[in-house]
Amino acid sequence: MNDDEADRRARTPAVRGDGGTKGADDVALDPWGSTSVGDYRKLFEEFGIESFEDVLPRVPTPHYLMRRGVIFGHRDYRAVAEAMANDEPFAALSGFMPTGDPHIGHKLVFDELIWHQERGGDAYGLIADLEAHAARGLSWEEIDEHAESYLLSLLALGFDPEEGTLYRQSTNEAVQELAFELGTKANFSELGAIYDFDGETEVSYMQSVVTQMADILYPQLEEPKPTVIPVGPDQDPHMRLARDLAGRMRYFGVTEAYASFELDDAERGLVARAYDALTEDAPEDSDGDDSDVRCSDAAAWLNSERPPSDALEGAIETLEAGGKEPLRPRVRFLDRNATPAAFEALIEAIDGEKRVYEGHVDSFSLDREAAEELAREIETEHGGYGFRPPSSVYHRFMTGLTGGKMSSSVPASHISLLDDPADGHDKVMSATTGGRETAEKQRELGGEADECPVYELYAYLLSGDDDEFAAEVYEECVGGERLCGGCKEQAAELMAEFLEEHQEKREEAREVLAGLDVELESDRR
Ligand code: TRP
Ligand code: SF4
């Protein structure tokens, strides 16, 4: 962390650890159910989401939602941050189910897309109308109305439709074609296990899953590139599947190996240990490799390893079968879906020592990264997609103004971007706070900004880019200088101003939207 950053972090309190839902410790990620995230840290342990703090130093001029910990997690965002820093192509895409009015929770995602667009990314905003129809049963008429409203807000907040792409799932033929292809790589049991589908689940649910997979990979149709999908953590099951499917579509898989046979990841780790131990002080032979180690030697070495495990047994058995075959580290290209011409071209393109087998080719001189690059290049030259696994960033859910969850079906719990500014003002004034019972106590103990939905409004929206203002509200609150009445009054006024200005911009965006190639009235019924 550099000094500037340390400084900034000291001044900008991050939003608290569990998003204000203290007490609930369950973590259920369900894209169509009610997702409750009691403890955001659990998402790191249980689902392998990485902490955003770890990549933050690599992000050039991070967004305030990143600086304040509202964006708390990611998968593989490093690839996107790197592309951004090096002026290389990258993309950002997110989708919105048009089931109601856009609200301040959606604004987070709109802002994330716009921010990536301003930093040179190809930005995509899509209306998940097929999903709204399939999973929520909305009529096409209702969908049309809401779809338009989402697009107006996205434009009003600054999305540049000349540079970026807006589309509806229902009219995007390329997405639907890709969805069909992706469907060839996933089966019913797998979707059943991920999404809790059973024999009663409508087929269109599965179609909307593959459609979302296609949305996520759509920015890479022309050319593979790092792509970030900003979403809430409820969408993580979709991200894991999309990352998997991206790999399953590839012509070639690249792995590391030690001999002609295949090992799984755990076995490979064990064989690597044996190999390293056995070659540690062996002198290199004349052709520069130290390959006197045979499979049987490694099997013998592993025999004394503890504790025994399935991986250990498996590795020993495989190595024993390998007998006198020398162990030599190599990178392996597996033929997954390649055309014969592409496989031939790959073999041809591998410089240095290589060995060709049925269904794979091993290189003894390329490193893993160079191998990945070569595989992608040959694949795209021969008609394959060459998809990179898409990245994601996750934002916290806002606490409802009435406490509990912010929910579209409870109007007082959230502020719609279409709320009359006076209503928005009133909703803030009626919000629960982290204040003490009496003004006296508040002066003495300070307020609990970390538990306060009003403070969240300041941190997530009302302070905008102004970290100092957010920090001032926080410090005055916890220091007991700020009382809730005045604090809410200030927030309510800022909210009313924001809504008024946003709604004006929405009106201006109508003309822009009308001029775009986005269908506002569906032909479907
Ligand atoms: N399933 C998302 C939701 O419920 C909407 C969506 C559709 C989406 N396609 C997407 C989100 C692609 C991100 C990327 O809101
Ligand atoms: Fe919340 Fe403001 Fe009251 Fe602090 S002073 S608890 S931030 S309303």
Side-chain angles (χ1 to χ4, degrees):
M1 185 163 23
N2 60 34
D3 286 347
D4 271 6
E5 214 169 72
D7 197 19
R8 193 174 60 221
R9 284 211 212 161
R11 281 186 287 109
T12 314
V15 180
R16 56 170 267 150
D18 67 7
T21 48
K22 202 165 81 175
D25 62 356
D26 57 319
V27 186
L29 294 182
D30 178 352
W32 297 292
S34 69
T35 291
S36 56
V37 180
D39 183 346
Y40 282 90
R41 279 163 313 179
K42 281 210 172 157
L43 298 179
F44 304 146
E45 288 151 29
E46 278 179 37
F47 299 96
I49 291 174
E50 295 170 76
S51 151
F52 196 83
E53 265 196 331
D54 299 345
V55 273
L56 187 61
R58 295 178 183 249
V59 182
T61 60
H63 191 273
Y64 69 82
L65 294 171
M66 298 172 170
R67 304 197 298 263
R68 291 180 202 155
V70 177
I71 294 172
F72 71 93
H74 75 103
R75 284 188 191 273
D76 212 5
Y77 189 66
R78 195 153 296 159
V80 176
E82 224 152 78
M84 205 182 301
N86 299 331
D87 260 325
E88 286 161 6
F90 69 97
L93 169 141
S94 198
F96 308 92
M97 250 213 278
T99 52
D101 291 340
H103 58 63
I104 53 176
H106 297 112
K107 178 182 180 286
L108 302 182
V109 181
F110 295 153
D111 285 345
E112 291 179 68
L113 288 178
I114 293 161
W115 182 85
H116 283 95
Q117 180 175 50
E118 287 167 354
R119 270 147 195 79
D122 298 336
Y124 296 76
L126 71 99
I127 299 297
D129 54 0
L130 292 179
E131 183 182 355
H133 191 61
R136 294 286 164 80
L138 264 76
S139 74
W140 288 100
E141 230 171 55
E142 294 168 296
I143 287 172
D144 283 347
E145 183 195 324
H146 297 139
E148 179 183 39
S149 189
Y150 277 84
L151 294 172
L152 288 175
S153 278
L154 181 53
L155 292 168
L157 289 167
F159 187 90
D160 178 353
E162 303 291 318
E163 291 295 320
T165 307
L166 299 173
Y167 72 86
R168 294 176 66 143
Q169 288 176 328
S170 64
T171 53
N172 190 327
E173 226 171 285
V175 161
Q176 290 172 33
E177 275 172 31
L178 179 57
F180 189 87
E181 294 304 321
L182 292 165
T184 67
K185 302 287 180 209
N187 66 34
F188 174 73
S189 318
E190 183 181 21
L191 296 199
I194 299 173
Y195 301 108
D196 248 345
F197 290 165
D198 61 24
E200 304 300 307
T201 305
E202 288 86 356
V203 173
S204 55
Y205 261 88
M206 288 166 239
Q207 290 179 288
S208 55
V209 169
V210 291
T211 305
Q212 177 155 351
M213 297 303 108
D215 289 331
I216 291 171
L217 295 169
Y218 182 61
Q220 301 193 60
L221 263 190
E222 293 279 304
E223 170 197 17
K225 55 171 83 73
T227 303
V228 60
I229 315 294
V231 277
D234 59 312
Q235 299 292 304
D236 187 55
H238 288 308
M239 287 312 306
R240 276 177 275 154
L241 179 60
R243 290 171 58 80
D244 255 28
L245 290 181
R248 286 181 216 164
M249 295 294 280
R250 296 295 308 278
Y251 276 14
F252 308 108
V254 176
T255 63
E256 282 161 58
Y258 281 86
S260 57
F261 45 76
E262 290 300 321
L263 298 165
D264 66 27
D265 289 344
E267 293 167 349
R268 193 179 305 115
L270 289 163
V271 174
R273 285 236 306 276
Y275 179 83
D276 291 343
L278 290 165
T279 52
E280 206 163 45
D281 7 69
E284 294 198 349
D285 62 22
S286 55
D287 50 347
D289 62 55
D290 35 24
S291 59
D292 286 343
V293 181
R294 314 263 163 174
C295 289
S296 49
D297 303 333
W301 190 90
L302 282 179
N303 247 324
S304 57
E305 273 293 271
R306 289 283 167 261
S309 64
D310 285 352
L312 187 65
E313 301 297 321
I316 292 171
E317 199 176 304
T318 310
L319 288 166
E320 277 170 353
K324 293 275 166 244
E325 186 184 343
L327 277 190
R328 286 181 65 196
R330 63 196 74 189
V331 286
R332 170 162 299 161
F333 299 85
L334 297 157
D335 179 354
R336 289 221 183 104
N337 303 293
T339 58
F343 192 49
E344 278 311 308
L346 176 71
I347 294 167
E348 215 24 51
I350 297 172
D351 284 336
E353 193 189 344
K354 59 192 160 193
R355 200 163 296 165
V356 181
Y357 300 85
E358 177 79 33
H360 71 259
V361 46
D362 290 356
S363 157
F364 296 90
S365 42
L366 287 176
D367 65 26
R368 174 90 185 246
E369 209 173 310
E372 300 262 7
E373 207 165 296
L374 180 66
R376 181 168 283 112
E377 187 184 309
I378 301 290
E379 174 174 343
T380 50
E381 276 169 11
H382 287 79
Y385 297 109
F387 291 135
R388 290 175 187 274
S391 311
S392 48
V393 288
Y394 302 106
H395 58 79
R396 286 171 197 282
F397 294 119
M398 286 174 104
T399 309
L401 296 175
T402 43
K405 271 184 56 176
M406 183 173 281
S407 156
S408 321
S409 51
V410 184
S413 78
H414 72 276
I415 292 175
S416 155
L417 297 177
L418 278 65
D419 274 347
D420 189 80
D423 292 344
H425 183 281
D426 292 350
K427 282 187 187 177
V428 176
M429 290 309 290
S430 328
T432 57
T433 71
R436 310 283 174 179
E437 294 113 73
T438 63
E440 245 158 67
K441 274 200 176 163
Q442 177 111 344
R443 286 206 186 86
E444 188 188 316
L445 302 169
E448 295 183 280
D450 289 328
E451 314 278 335
C452 180
V454 178
Y455 178 67
E456 262 182 45
L457 291 179
Y458 280 106
Y460 285 56
L461 190 151
L462 301 173
S463 306
D465 209 34
D466 188 347
D467 287 349
E468 260 160 59
F469 179 51
E472 189 181 295
V473 171
Y474 186 88
E475 274 150 27
E476 288 178 1
C477 170
V478 299
E481 295 156 54
R482 190 173 260 267
L483 298 184
C484 296
C487 182
K488 288 211 274 190
E489 186 60 54
Q490 186 179 17
E493 264 160 39
L494 289 169
M495 183 60 79
E497 266 167 41
F498 162 73
L499 289 171
E500 193 169 321
E501 193 189 317
H502 179 66
Q503 289 164 17
E504 267 169 38
K505 290 196 181 140
R506 277 174 55 98
E507 286 315 306
E508 291 163 22
R510 277 184 196 281
E511 203 178 323
V512 180
L513 182 58
L516 298 179
D517 187 23
V518 184
E519 218 163 303
L520 296 176
E521 274 175 48
S522 180
D523 291 337
R524 302 197 181 212
R525 57 190 174 131

